[in-house]
Amino acid sequence: MNEKKNLPFLGPSVISRPPMRWFESLHFRFSVLQSCLLFLIIGITIAVMVTVERNLLIEQGYELAEQLGNRVVSQLEKRTMLAEALVTSLANLGESLEQDVGKYMSVVPHLIDYEREESFIAGGGIWPEPNAFTPDVERRSFFWGRDAKGVLQ
């Protein structure tokens, strides 16, 4: 036993290992883990965009189309009401205005030439019943139409 005590202390025994390969390193494994997480996040984001946000965008598109349709219908109703009011005014004017050519020539174009509606109202007039305006003339009409410059003629 004494022989063991006299042996010099060599320190902890060193176990020889084979050299570590590159794919076994901690740095490589951590990079692979980060890459996998990145692809997972990208995949989840794309899946959410395809399912949830796509439906949301489609809904918004339908709402926008409906709003535009309502706006078009509103503008058409406005134009129709304007045309209806103009036709009613011309009809009432034709019934009540005395049979004077000068009055028809001054009042009717002024009524047809509605402000800011030159592109909408291309023309119009009054057509009295046969032989009603002038007994000897079967067809007497008062009609005005816009020329190339937009002026009633």
Side-chain angles (χ1 to χ4, degrees):
M1 272 203 168
N2 286 341
E3 291 178 13
K4 285 186 182 179
K5 285 186 178 181
N6 291 336
L7 288 175
F9 179 70
L10 296 175
S13 64
V14 178
I15 303 172
S16 69
R17 292 185 186 183
M20 189 181 326
R21 291 176 277 187
W22 62 273
F23 57 86
E24 294 175 335
S25 69
L26 184 61
H27 178 70
F28 176 75
R29 289 180 180 179
F30 187 68
S31 297
V32 168
L33 178 65
Q34 282 184 327
S35 298
C36 289
L37 285 175
L38 176 68
F39 288 125
L40 180 67
I41 290 171
I42 290 172
I44 290 173
T45 303
I46 290 173
V48 166
M49 288 175 64
V50 166
T51 57
V52 176
E53 289 185 17
R54 181 174 180 262
N55 292 338
L56 205 72
L57 289 174
I58 289 173
E59 274 184 42
Q60 287 177 347
Y62 285 140
E63 287 176 12
L64 180 62
E66 186 176 348
Q67 288 174 358
L68 290 174
N70 288 339
R71 181 179 290 171
V72 168
V73 168
S74 172
Q75 290 295 323
L76 286 174
E77 284 179 350
K78 176 184 170 190
R79 297 279 178 133
T80 303
M81 289 173 56
L82 173 69
E84 184 179 343
L86 180 60
V87 167
T88 303
S89 298
L90 284 171
N92 290 337
L93 182 70
E95 288 177 357
S96 63
L97 195 63
E98 54 189 67
Q99 296 180 351
D100 179 13
V101 174
K103 287 186 180 182
Y104 273 84
M105 297 299 272
S106 65
V107 174
V108 174
H110 183 69
L111 187 62
I112 294 172
D113 200 16
Y114 195 77
E115 279 185 37
R116 299 177 313 274
E117 297 298 332
E118 293 85 10
S119 63
F120 176 63
I121 302 171
I126 296 177
W127 293 265
E129 291 189 21
N131 299 318
F133 192 82
T134 307
D136 298 344
V137 179
E138 184 178 347
R139 294 185 180 162
R140 179 69 170 110
S141 63
F142 300 94
F143 179 80
W144 287 264
R146 295 199 186 276
D147 61 10
K149 295 180 183 177
V151 179
L152 285 175
Q153 300 293 326

PDB file of all heavy atoms in Angstrom, residues 106-140:
ATOM      1  N   SER A 106     -88.538  83.327 -75.484  1.00  0.00           N
ATOM      2  CA  SER A 106     -87.690  83.864 -74.404  1.00  0.00           C
ATOM      3  C   SER A 106     -87.743  83.015 -73.129  1.00  0.00           C
ATOM      4  O   SER A 106     -86.731  82.850 -72.443  1.00  0.00           O
ATOM      5  CB  SER A 106     -88.092  85.307 -74.077  1.00  0.00           C
ATOM      6  OG  SER A 106     -89.408  85.339 -73.562  1.00  0.00           O
ATOM      7  N   VAL A 107     -88.905  82.447 -72.813  1.00  0.00           N
ATOM      8  CA  VAL A 107     -89.062  81.737 -71.550  1.00  0.00           C
ATOM      9  C   VAL A 107     -88.565  80.279 -71.629  1.00  0.00           C
ATOM     10  O   VAL A 107     -87.846  79.814 -70.734  1.00  0.00           O
ATOM     11  CB  VAL A 107     -90.539  81.786 -71.083  1.00  0.00           C
ATOM     12  CG1 VAL A 107     -90.750  80.928 -69.850  1.00  0.00           C
ATOM     13  CG2 VAL A 107     -90.971  83.222 -70.815  1.00  0.00           C
ATOM     14  N   VAL A 108     -88.919  79.559 -72.677  1.00  0.00           N
ATOM     15  CA  VAL A 108     -88.606  78.129 -72.756  1.00  0.00           C
ATOM     16  C   VAL A 108     -87.093  77.863 -72.760  1.00  0.00           C
ATOM     17  O   VAL A 108     -86.616  77.025 -71.995  1.00  0.00           O
ATOM     18  CB  VAL A 108     -89.318  77.475 -73.964  1.00  0.00           C
ATOM     19  CG1 VAL A 108     -88.875  76.035 -74.139  1.00  0.00           C
ATOM     20  CG2 VAL A 108     -90.823  77.556 -73.791  1.00  0.00           C
ATOM     21  N   PRO A 109     -86.277  78.572 -73.581  1.00  0.00           N
ATOM     22  CA  PRO A 109     -84.836  78.278 -73.535  1.00  0.00           C
ATOM     23  C   PRO A 109     -84.210  78.595 -72.172  1.00  0.00           C
ATOM     24  O   PRO A 109     -83.306  77.891 -71.721  1.00  0.00           O
ATOM     25  CB  PRO A 109     -84.220  79.171 -74.611  1.00  0.00           C
ATOM     26  CG  PRO A 109     -85.321  79.790 -75.337  1.00  0.00           C
ATOM     27  CD  PRO A 109     -86.594  79.529 -74.612  1.00  0.00           C
ATOM     28  N   HIS A 110     -84.742  79.625 -71.537  1.00  0.00           N
ATOM     29  CA  HIS A 110     -84.228  79.966 -70.202  1.00  0.00           C
ATOM     30  C   HIS A 110     -84.527  78.840 -69.202  1.00  0.00           C
ATOM     31  O   HIS A 110     -83.703  78.526 -68.339  1.00  0.00           O
ATOM     32  CB  HIS A 110     -84.850  81.287 -69.732  1.00  0.00           C
ATOM     33  CG  HIS A 110     -84.339  81.751 -68.409  1.00  0.00           C
ATOM     34  ND1 HIS A 110     -83.055  82.190 -68.235  1.00  0.00           N
ATOM     35  CD2 HIS A 110     -84.927  81.811 -67.188  1.00  0.00           C
ATOM     36  CE1 HIS A 110     -82.872  82.512 -66.958  1.00  0.00           C
ATOM     37  NE2 HIS A 110     -83.994  82.290 -66.306  1.00  0.00           N
ATOM     38  N   LEU A 111     -85.665  78.220 -69.336  1.00  0.00           N
ATOM     39  CA  LEU A 111     -86.041  77.111 -68.446  1.00  0.00           C
ATOM     40  C   LEU A 111     -85.203  75.855 -68.749  1.00  0.00           C
ATOM     41  O   LEU A 111     -84.770  75.159 -67.828  1.00  0.00           O
ATOM     42  CB  LEU A 111     -87.536  76.809 -68.608  1.00  0.00           C
ATOM     43  CG  LEU A 111     -88.151  75.803 -67.646  1.00  0.00           C
ATOM     44  CD1 LEU A 111     -88.048  76.317 -66.219  1.00  0.00           C
ATOM     45  CD2 LEU A 111     -89.598  75.554 -68.002  1.00  0.00           C
ATOM     46  N   ILE A 112     -84.957  75.585 -70.016  1.00  0.00           N
ATOM     47  CA  ILE A 112     -84.188  74.390 -70.400  1.00  0.00           C
ATOM     48  C   ILE A 112     -82.713  74.539 -70.038  1.00  0.00           C
ATOM     49  O   ILE A 112     -82.055  73.565 -69.659  1.00  0.00           O
ATOM     50  CB  ILE A 112     -84.332  74.129 -71.912  1.00  0.00           C
ATOM     51  CG1 ILE A 112     -85.768  73.764 -72.244  1.00  0.00           C
ATOM     52  CG2 ILE A 112     -83.390  73.018 -72.370  1.00  0.00           C
ATOM     53  CD1 ILE A 112     -86.048  73.677 -73.725  1.00  0.00           C
ATOM     54  N   ASP A 113     -82.178  75.740 -70.122  1.00  0.00           N
ATOM     55  CA  ASP A 113     -80.750  75.978 -69.883  1.00  0.00           C
ATOM     56  C   ASP A 113     -80.479  76.042 -68.385  1.00  0.00           C
ATOM     57  O   ASP A 113     -80.115  77.076 -67.835  1.00  0.00           O
ATOM     58  CB  ASP A 113     -80.316  77.272 -70.573  1.00  0.00           C
ATOM     59  CG  ASP A 113     -78.826  77.332 -70.772  1.00  0.00           C
ATOM     60  OD1 ASP A 113     -78.176  76.289 -70.674  1.00  0.00           O
ATOM     61  OD2 ASP A 113     -78.307  78.442 -71.035  1.00  0.00           O
ATOM     62  N   TYR A 114     -80.646  74.909 -67.728  1.00  0.00           N
ATOM     63  CA  TYR A 114     -80.475  74.798 -66.277  1.00  0.00           C
ATOM     64  C   TYR A 114     -78.996  74.881 -65.925  1.00  0.00           C
ATOM     65  O   TYR A 114     -78.158  74.278 -66.590  1.00  0.00           O
ATOM     66  CB  TYR A 114     -81.081  73.465 -65.799  1.00  0.00           C
ATOM     67  CG  TYR A 114     -81.302  73.385 -64.318  1.00  0.00           C
ATOM     68  CD1 TYR A 114     -82.381  74.030 -63.728  1.00  0.00           C
ATOM     69  CD2 TYR A 114     -80.438  72.666 -63.519  1.00  0.00           C
ATOM     70  CE1 TYR A 114     -82.591  73.953 -62.369  1.00  0.00           C
ATOM     71  CE2 TYR A 114     -80.640  72.585 -62.154  1.00  0.00           C
ATOM     72  CZ  TYR A 114     -81.722  73.239 -61.583  1.00  0.00           C
ATOM     73  OH  TYR A 114     -81.919  73.165 -60.233  1.00  0.00           O
ATOM     74  N   GLU A 115     -78.681  75.616 -64.878  1.00  0.00           N
ATOM     75  CA  GLU A 115     -77.286  75.812 -64.455  1.00  0.00           C
ATOM     76  C   GLU A 115     -76.565  74.504 -64.186  1.00  0.00           C
ATOM     77  O   GLU A 115     -77.109  73.614 -63.552  1.00  0.00           O
ATOM     78  CB  GLU A 115     -77.239  76.630 -63.161  1.00  0.00           C
ATOM     79  CG  GLU A 115     -77.370  78.105 -63.346  1.00  0.00           C
ATOM     80  CD  GLU A 115     -77.191  78.822 -62.022  1.00  0.00           C
ATOM     81  OE1 GLU A 115     -76.359  78.400 -61.199  1.00  0.00           O
ATOM     82  OE2 GLU A 115     -77.904  79.807 -61.823  1.00  0.00           O
ATOM     83  N   ARG A 116     -75.340  74.398 -64.642  1.00  0.00           N
ATOM     84  CA  ARG A 116     -74.418  73.287 -64.388  1.00  0.00           C
ATOM     85  C   ARG A 116     -74.932  71.950 -64.897  1.00  0.00           C
ATOM     86  O   ARG A 116     -74.430  70.915 -64.519  1.00  0.00           O
ATOM     87  CB  ARG A 116     -74.085  73.178 -62.892  1.00  0.00           C
ATOM     88  CG  ARG A 116     -73.420  74.405 -62.334  1.00  0.00           C
ATOM     89  CD  ARG A 116     -73.185  74.290 -60.848  1.00  0.00           C
ATOM     90  NE  ARG A 116     -74.300  73.819 -60.061  1.00  0.00           N
ATOM     91  CZ  ARG A 116     -75.283  74.566 -59.555  1.00  0.00           C
ATOM     92  NH1 ARG A 116     -75.284  75.846 -59.752  1.00  0.00           N
ATOM     93  NH2 ARG A 116     -76.241  74.024 -58.831  1.00  0.00           N
ATOM     94  N   GLU A 117     -75.948  71.942 -65.719  1.00  0.00           N
ATOM     95  CA  GLU A 117     -76.486  70.682 -66.241  1.00  0.00           C
ATOM     96  C   GLU A 117     -76.424  70.658 -67.765  1.00  0.00           C
ATOM     97  O   GLU A 117     -77.187  69.952 -68.407  1.00  0.00           O
ATOM     98  CB  GLU A 117     -77.933  70.487 -65.773  1.00  0.00           C
ATOM     99  CG  GLU A 117     -78.090  70.369 -64.275  1.00  0.00           C
ATOM    100  CD  GLU A 117     -77.375  69.158 -63.686  1.00  0.00           C
ATOM    101  OE1 GLU A 117     -77.210  68.137 -64.380  1.00  0.00           O
ATOM    102  OE2 GLU A 117     -76.965  69.239 -62.526  1.00  0.00           O
ATOM    103  N   GLU A 118     -75.486  71.407 -68.328  1.00  0.00           N
ATOM    104  CA  GLU A 118     -75.375  71.471 -69.784  1.00  0.00           C
ATOM    105  C   GLU A 118     -75.063  70.111 -70.389  1.00  0.00           C
ATOM    106  O   GLU A 118     -75.534  69.773 -71.474  1.00  0.00           O
ATOM    107  CB  GLU A 118     -74.291  72.479 -70.207  1.00  0.00           C
ATOM    108  CG  GLU A 118     -74.620  73.917 -69.876  1.00  0.00           C
ATOM    109  CD  GLU A 118     -74.234  74.313 -68.449  1.00  0.00           C
ATOM    110  OE1 GLU A 118     -73.537  73.533 -67.761  1.00  0.00           O
ATOM    111  OE2 GLU A 118     -74.646  75.389 -68.023  1.00  0.00           O
ATOM    112  N   SER A 119     -74.263  69.324 -69.703  1.00  0.00           N
ATOM    113  CA  SER A 119     -73.904  68.014 -70.250  1.00  0.00           C
ATOM    114  C   SER A 119     -75.051  67.009 -70.106  1.00  0.00           C
ATOM    115  O   SER A 119     -75.092  66.007 -70.810  1.00  0.00           O
ATOM    116  CB  SER A 119     -72.670  67.469 -69.535  1.00  0.00           C
ATOM    117  OG  SER A 119     -72.950  67.261 -68.170  1.00  0.00           O
ATOM    118  N   PHE A 120     -75.973  67.274 -69.214  1.00  0.00           N
ATOM    119  CA  PHE A 120     -77.084  66.349 -68.974  1.00  0.00           C
ATOM    120  C   PHE A 120     -78.287  66.681 -69.844  1.00  0.00           C
ATOM    121  O   PHE A 120     -78.939  65.804 -70.384  1.00  0.00           O
ATOM    122  CB  PHE A 120     -77.464  66.386 -67.492  1.00  0.00           C
ATOM    123  CG  PHE A 120     -78.651  65.542 -67.145  1.00  0.00           C
ATOM    124  CD1 PHE A 120     -78.629  64.171 -67.313  1.00  0.00           C
ATOM    125  CD2 PHE A 120     -79.807  66.122 -66.657  1.00  0.00           C
ATOM    126  CE1 PHE A 120     -79.723  63.392 -66.996  1.00  0.00           C
ATOM    127  CE2 PHE A 120     -80.907  65.362 -66.342  1.00  0.00           C
ATOM    128  CZ  PHE A 120     -80.862  63.994 -66.503  1.00  0.00           C
ATOM    129  N   ILE A 121     -78.604  67.955 -69.982  1.00  0.00           N
ATOM    130  CA  ILE A 121     -79.777  68.382 -70.754  1.00  0.00           C
ATOM    131  C   ILE A 121     -79.305  68.813 -72.138  1.00  0.00           C
ATOM    132  O   ILE A 121     -78.713  69.882 -72.298  1.00  0.00           O
ATOM    133  CB  ILE A 121     -80.523  69.529 -70.043  1.00  0.00           C
ATOM    134  CG1 ILE A 121     -80.957  69.073 -68.652  1.00  0.00           C
ATOM    135  CG2 ILE A 121     -81.707  69.988 -70.871  1.00  0.00           C
ATOM    136  CD1 ILE A 121     -81.510  70.176 -67.788  1.00  0.00           C
ATOM    137  N   ALA A 122     -79.539  67.962 -73.121  1.00  0.00           N
ATOM    138  CA  ALA A 122     -79.082  68.236 -74.482  1.00  0.00           C
ATOM    139  C   ALA A 122     -80.058  69.132 -75.239  1.00  0.00           C
ATOM    140  O   ALA A 122     -79.683  69.781 -76.208  1.00  0.00           O
ATOM    141  CB  ALA A 122     -78.893  66.932 -75.244  1.00  0.00           C
ATOM    142  N   GLY A 123     -81.277  69.182 -74.789  1.00  0.00           N
ATOM    143  CA  GLY A 123     -82.268  70.007 -75.471  1.00  0.00           C
ATOM    144  C   GLY A 123     -83.659  69.700 -74.957  1.00  0.00           C
ATOM    145  O   GLY A 123     -83.853  68.879 -74.071  1.00  0.00           O
ATOM    146  N   GLY A 124     -84.632  70.398 -75.539  1.00  0.00           N
ATOM    147  CA  GLY A 124     -86.015  70.180 -75.136  1.00  0.00           C
ATOM    148  C   GLY A 124     -86.912  71.237 -75.737  1.00  0.00           C
ATOM    149  O   GLY A 124     -86.445  72.140 -76.436  1.00  0.00           O
ATOM    150  N   GLY A 125     -88.175  71.117 -75.447  1.00  0.00           N
ATOM    151  CA  GLY A 125     -89.105  72.094 -75.993  1.00  0.00           C
ATOM    152  C   GLY A 125     -90.540  71.768 -75.659  1.00  0.00           C
ATOM    153  O   GLY A 125     -90.819  70.911 -74.819  1.00  0.00           O
ATOM    154  N   ILE A 126     -91.411  72.496 -76.346  1.00  0.00           N
ATOM    155  CA  ILE A 126     -92.857  72.333 -76.150  1.00  0.00           C
ATOM    156  C   ILE A 126     -93.485  72.089 -77.509  1.00  0.00           C
ATOM    157  O   ILE A 126     -93.178  72.783 -78.486  1.00  0.00           O
ATOM    158  CB  ILE A 126     -93.474  73.588 -75.485  1.00  0.00           C
ATOM    159  CG1 ILE A 126     -92.894  73.767 -74.086  1.00  0.00           C
ATOM    160  CG2 ILE A 126     -94.990  73.491 -75.443  1.00  0.00           C
ATOM    161  CD1 ILE A 126     -93.375  75.013 -73.374  1.00  0.00           C
ATOM    162  N   TRP A 127     -94.383  71.102 -77.580  1.00  0.00           N
ATOM    163  CA  TRP A 127     -95.089  70.763 -78.791  1.00  0.00           C
ATOM    164  C   TRP A 127     -96.594  70.874 -78.512  1.00  0.00           C
ATOM    165  O   TRP A 127     -97.200  69.947 -77.982  1.00  0.00           O
ATOM    166  CB  TRP A 127     -94.770  69.332 -79.239  1.00  0.00           C
ATOM    167  CG  TRP A 127     -93.365  69.149 -79.664  1.00  0.00           C
ATOM    168  CD1 TRP A 127     -92.894  69.208 -80.933  1.00  0.00           C
ATOM    169  CD2 TRP A 127     -92.243  68.867 -78.830  1.00  0.00           C
ATOM    170  NE1 TRP A 127     -91.547  68.998 -80.956  1.00  0.00           N
ATOM    171  CE2 TRP A 127     -91.111  68.786 -79.662  1.00  0.00           C
ATOM    172  CE3 TRP A 127     -92.052  68.710 -77.461  1.00  0.00           C
ATOM    173  CZ2 TRP A 127     -89.839  68.537 -79.189  1.00  0.00           C
ATOM    174  CZ3 TRP A 127     -90.782  68.462 -76.991  1.00  0.00           C
ATOM    175  CH2 TRP A 127     -89.688  68.370 -77.849  1.00  0.00           C
ATOM    176  N   PRO A 128     -97.174  72.008 -78.854  1.00  0.00           N
ATOM    177  CA  PRO A 128     -98.621  72.142 -78.615  1.00  0.00           C
ATOM    178  C   PRO A 128     -99.409  71.140 -79.476  1.00  0.00           C
ATOM    179  O   PRO A 128     -98.913  70.629 -80.476  1.00  0.00           O
ATOM    180  CB  PRO A 128     -98.929  73.573 -79.059  1.00  0.00           C
ATOM    181  CG  PRO A 128     -97.614  74.276 -79.052  1.00  0.00           C
ATOM    182  CD  PRO A 128     -96.584  73.241 -79.349  1.00  0.00           C
ATOM    183  N   GLU A 129    -100.622  70.867 -79.051  1.00  0.00           N
ATOM    184  CA  GLU A 129    -101.471  69.940 -79.791  1.00  0.00           C
ATOM    185  C   GLU A 129    -101.740  70.508 -81.187  1.00  0.00           C
ATOM    186  O   GLU A 129    -101.676  71.722 -81.400  1.00  0.00           O
ATOM    187  CB  GLU A 129    -102.786  69.739 -79.039  1.00  0.00           C
ATOM    188  CG  GLU A 129    -102.601  68.972 -77.749  1.00  0.00           C
ATOM    189  CD  GLU A 129    -103.934  68.593 -77.116  1.00  0.00           C
ATOM    190  OE1 GLU A 129    -104.947  68.558 -77.829  1.00  0.00           O
ATOM    191  OE2 GLU A 129    -103.927  68.337 -75.919  1.00  0.00           O
ATOM    192  N   PRO A 130    -102.046  69.622 -82.137  1.00  0.00           N
ATOM    193  CA  PRO A 130    -102.288  70.099 -83.512  1.00  0.00           C
ATOM    194  C   PRO A 130    -103.382  71.161 -83.550  1.00  0.00           C
ATOM    195  O   PRO A 130    -104.404  71.053 -82.883  1.00  0.00           O
ATOM    196  CB  PRO A 130    -102.723  68.836 -84.264  1.00  0.00           C
ATOM    197  CG  PRO A 130    -102.145  67.712 -83.469  1.00  0.00           C
ATOM    198  CD  PRO A 130    -102.105  68.183 -82.037  1.00  0.00           C
ATOM    199  N   ASN A 131    -103.120  72.206 -84.293  1.00  0.00           N
ATOM    200  CA  ASN A 131    -104.028  73.335 -84.515  1.00  0.00           C
ATOM    201  C   ASN A 131    -104.383  74.082 -83.228  1.00  0.00           C
ATOM    202  O   ASN A 131    -105.301  74.907 -83.232  1.00  0.00           O
ATOM    203  CB  ASN A 131    -105.324  72.877 -85.209  1.00  0.00           C
ATOM    204  CG  ASN A 131    -105.057  72.260 -86.560  1.00  0.00           C
ATOM    205  OD1 ASN A 131    -104.241  72.760 -87.321  1.00  0.00           O
ATOM    206  ND2 ASN A 131    -105.736  71.156 -86.848  1.00  0.00           N
ATOM    207  N   ALA A 132    -103.699  73.838 -82.121  1.00  0.00           N
ATOM    208  CA  ALA A 132    -104.019  74.512 -80.864  1.00  0.00           C
ATOM    209  C   ALA A 132    -103.311  75.855 -80.756  1.00  0.00           C
ATOM    210  O   ALA A 132    -103.889  76.828 -80.267  1.00  0.00           O
ATOM    211  CB  ALA A 132    -103.639  73.638 -79.675  1.00  0.00           C
ATOM    212  N   PHE A 133    -102.083  75.931 -81.201  1.00  0.00           N
ATOM    213  CA  PHE A 133    -101.327  77.189 -81.069  1.00  0.00           C
ATOM    214  C   PHE A 133    -101.736  78.160 -82.175  1.00  0.00           C
ATOM    215  O   PHE A 133    -102.074  79.296 -81.919  1.00  0.00           O
ATOM    216  CB  PHE A 133     -99.822  76.900 -81.134  1.00  0.00           C
ATOM    217  CG  PHE A 133     -98.985  78.074 -80.715  1.00  0.00           C
ATOM    218  CD1 PHE A 133     -98.763  78.329 -79.378  1.00  0.00           C
ATOM    219  CD2 PHE A 133     -98.447  78.936 -81.646  1.00  0.00           C
ATOM    220  CE1 PHE A 133     -98.009  79.428 -78.983  1.00  0.00           C
ATOM    221  CE2 PHE A 133     -97.700  80.030 -81.269  1.00  0.00           C
ATOM    222  CZ  PHE A 133     -97.476  80.265 -79.929  1.00  0.00           C
ATOM    223  N   THR A 134    -101.704  77.660 -83.387  1.00  0.00           N
ATOM    224  CA  THR A 134    -102.141  78.452 -84.539  1.00  0.00           C
ATOM    225  C   THR A 134    -103.183  77.605 -85.263  1.00  0.00           C
ATOM    226  O   THR A 134    -102.887  76.468 -85.663  1.00  0.00           O
ATOM    227  CB  THR A 134    -100.946  78.748 -85.480  1.00  0.00           C
ATOM    228  OG1 THR A 134     -99.896  79.327 -84.720  1.00  0.00           O
ATOM    229  CG2 THR A 134    -101.346  79.680 -86.597  1.00  0.00           C
ATOM    230  N   PRO A 135    -104.396  78.121 -85.436  1.00  0.00           N
ATOM    231  CA  PRO A 135    -105.466  77.295 -86.010  1.00  0.00           C
ATOM    232  C   PRO A 135    -105.147  76.716 -87.397  1.00  0.00           C
ATOM    233  O   PRO A 135    -105.555  75.620 -87.721  1.00  0.00           O
ATOM    234  CB  PRO A 135    -106.653  78.260 -86.105  1.00  0.00           C
ATOM    235  CG  PRO A 135    -106.365  79.329 -85.113  1.00  0.00           C
ATOM    236  CD  PRO A 135    -104.883  79.438 -85.026  1.00  0.00           C
ATOM    237  N   ASP A 136    -104.422  77.423 -88.216  1.00  0.00           N
ATOM    238  CA  ASP A 136    -104.143  76.936 -89.570  1.00  0.00           C
ATOM    239  C   ASP A 136    -102.912  76.028 -89.630  1.00  0.00           C
ATOM    240  O   ASP A 136    -102.691  75.375 -90.642  1.00  0.00           O
ATOM    241  CB  ASP A 136    -103.921  78.122 -90.522  1.00  0.00           C
ATOM    242  CG  ASP A 136    -105.168  78.996 -90.624  1.00  0.00           C
ATOM    243  OD1 ASP A 136    -106.240  78.523 -90.212  1.00  0.00           O
ATOM    244  OD2 ASP A 136    -105.040  80.131 -91.105  1.00  0.00           O
ATOM    245  N   VAL A 137    -102.108  75.997 -88.551  1.00  0.00           N
ATOM    246  CA  VAL A 137    -100.866  75.209 -88.559  1.00  0.00           C
ATOM    247  C   VAL A 137    -101.060  73.985 -87.679  1.00  0.00           C
ATOM    248  O   VAL A 137    -101.295  74.099 -86.475  1.00  0.00           O
ATOM    249  CB  VAL A 137     -99.680  76.065 -88.038  1.00  0.00           C
ATOM    250  CG1 VAL A 137     -98.398  75.244 -88.028  1.00  0.00           C
ATOM    251  CG2 VAL A 137     -99.517  77.324 -88.876  1.00  0.00           C
ATOM    252  N   GLU A 138    -100.950  72.806 -88.319  1.00  0.00           N
ATOM    253  CA  GLU A 138    -101.183  71.576 -87.568  1.00  0.00           C
ATOM    254  C   GLU A 138    -100.038  71.293 -86.589  1.00  0.00           C
ATOM    255  O   GLU A 138    -100.265  70.924 -85.449  1.00  0.00           O
ATOM    256  CB  GLU A 138    -101.341  70.389 -88.537  1.00  0.00           C
ATOM    257  CG  GLU A 138    -101.672  69.097 -87.835  1.00  0.00           C
ATOM    258  CD  GLU A 138    -101.864  67.950 -88.801  1.00  0.00           C
ATOM    259  OE1 GLU A 138    -101.989  68.168 -90.014  1.00  0.00           O
ATOM    260  OE2 GLU A 138    -101.888  66.811 -88.314  1.00  0.00           O
ATOM    261  N   ARG A 139     -98.807  71.466 -87.051  1.00  0.00           N
ATOM    262  CA  ARG A 139     -97.647  71.170 -86.199  1.00  0.00           C
ATOM    263  C   ARG A 139     -96.847  72.434 -85.949  1.00  0.00           C
ATOM    264  O   ARG A 139     -96.090  72.895 -86.781  1.00  0.00           O
ATOM    265  CB  ARG A 139     -96.759  70.121 -86.857  1.00  0.00           C
ATOM    266  CG  ARG A 139     -97.428  68.790 -86.958  1.00  0.00           C
ATOM    267  CD  ARG A 139     -96.492  67.757 -87.496  1.00  0.00           C
ATOM    268  NE  ARG A 139     -97.179  66.480 -87.581  1.00  0.00           N
ATOM    269  CZ  ARG A 139     -96.773  65.473 -88.296  1.00  0.00           C
ATOM    270  NH1 ARG A 139     -95.667  65.574 -88.995  1.00  0.00           N
ATOM    271  NH2 ARG A 139     -97.452  64.353 -88.308  1.00  0.00           N
ATOM    272  N   ARG A 140     -96.978  72.947 -84.750  1.00  0.00           N
ATOM    273  CA  ARG A 140     -96.210  74.119 -84.312  1.00  0.00           C
ATOM    274  C   ARG A 140     -95.421  73.682 -83.094  1.00  0.00           C
ATOM    275  O   ARG A 140     -95.989  73.333 -82.061  1.00  0.00           O
ATOM    276  CB  ARG A 140     -97.151  75.277 -83.946  1.00  0.00           C
ATOM    277  CG  ARG A 140     -96.448  76.505 -83.462  1.00  0.00           C
ATOM    278  CD  ARG A 140     -95.672  77.144 -84.620  1.00  0.00           C
ATOM    279  NE  ARG A 140     -95.178  78.463 -84.257  1.00  0.00           N
ATOM    280  CZ  ARG A 140     -93.894  78.728 -84.060  1.00  0.00           C
ATOM    281  NH1 ARG A 140     -92.989  77.771 -84.183  1.00  0.00           N
ATOM    282  NH2 ARG A 140     -93.514  79.945 -83.768  1.00  0.00           N
TER     283      ARG A 140
END
